[in-house]
Amino acid sequence: GGQGGMMNHRRSQEDIPRISDEERARLELVAMVSSKLQADYDRYTRNSQEEFDLYQAKQADLEDTRVCIDQAITALQDEKSNLLAIMQQLDATQQEVTAVLDARSKEPLPDVEQLVVASDPMAQQLLGAVAHVKAIEDVLYHLDQALYGGAMDTEEFLRLTLRLSREQFFAKELINRILARRRQLGVC
């Protein structure tokens, strides 16, 4: 019995195939290549996931941008509609103004004296005095132009300027007295 047990042990060791050095080197090479391939695969998977995440983020940004662009387009279309409505109103108003101007152009022009009407005799006197002062200012201006243009001699210029200046002074004094009297009466 004791030898048979040993025999079984020898046989079982003999039954186990032995790996040759060449086979062991081949297995180590396969293990190294497998490890290298696994590392490359892991790196590729990581890079692909990063690229995919980046693509997803860009896609989300593009979608947000598209939404903003759509909102801007809608706002611009609304603005365009508003502007078109304003243009239609302006066209209608322009037609109305043109019609009124055409009707007015057929009417005779009113006399300037009829356009400005004083509310009372004192206001009428004030209006006349102011108009007289403005007329004198116009004449004095043209006298200056005539003098500097050589159309008038100095003696004539001084004589007319003295007379008109005196008239202007009295007209302005009249304006001041009328305004003072109107203030006393409480009339503006």
Side-chain angles (χ1 to χ4, degrees), residues 35-138:
S35 174
K36 172 76 170 133
L37 287 174
Q38 185 63 42
D40 287 348
Y41 174 77
D42 290 344
R43 187 172 39 255
Y44 174 77
T45 303
R46 236 182 356 265
N47 288 343
S48 294
Q49 185 62 44
E50 288 172 2
E51 286 178 19
F52 181 75
D53 292 344
L54 182 62
Y55 170 78
Q56 289 289 76
K58 285 183 181 180
Q59 187 69 24
D61 287 345
L62 288 173
E63 182 61 27
D64 291 344
T65 302
R66 186 192 62 77
V67 168
C68 290
I69 289 172
D70 288 346
Q71 290 171 346
I73 288 172
T74 300
L76 288 173
Q77 288 171 339
D78 291 345
E79 186 66 22
K80 179 182 176 183
S81 296
N82 290 337
L83 290 174
L84 288 174
I86 290 170
M87 286 176 56
Q88 288 174 345
Q89 289 174 341
L90 287 174
D91 287 343
T93 303
Q94 183 179 7
Q95 289 173 358
E96 288 176 28
V97 167
T98 302
V100 168
L101 289 176
D102 288 344
R104 291 278 182 152
S105 68
K106 294 173 185 168
E107 296 175 5
L109 291 176
D111 184 23
V112 175
E113 298 293 325
Q114 295 172 354
L115 291 177
V116 180
V117 179
S119 59
D120 57 63
M122 194 180 298
Q124 182 65 38
Q125 189 179 15
L126 178 62
L127 183 61
V130 169
H132 189 70
V133 167
K134 293 299 178 187
I136 291 172
E137 287 175 1
D138 288 345

Side-chain angles (χ1 to χ4, degrees), residues 2-47:
Q3 260 187 355
M6 191 157 290
M7 221 12 141
N8 283 339
H9 183 57
R10 258 189 222 162
R11 230 190 262 154
S12 62
Q13 281 184 357
E14 286 175 15
D15 289 340
I16 299 175
R18 290 194 164 227
I19 300 175
S20 66
D21 288 341
E22 187 178 297
E23 184 68 19
R24 182 172 289 137
R26 190 180 70 71
L27 287 174
E28 285 176 3
L29 181 62
V30 167
M32 284 187 339
V33 168
S34 176
S35 174
K36 172 76 170 133
L37 287 174
Q38 185 63 42
D40 287 348
Y41 174 77
D42 290 344
R43 187 172 39 255
Y44 174 77
T45 303
R46 236 182 356 265
N47 288 343

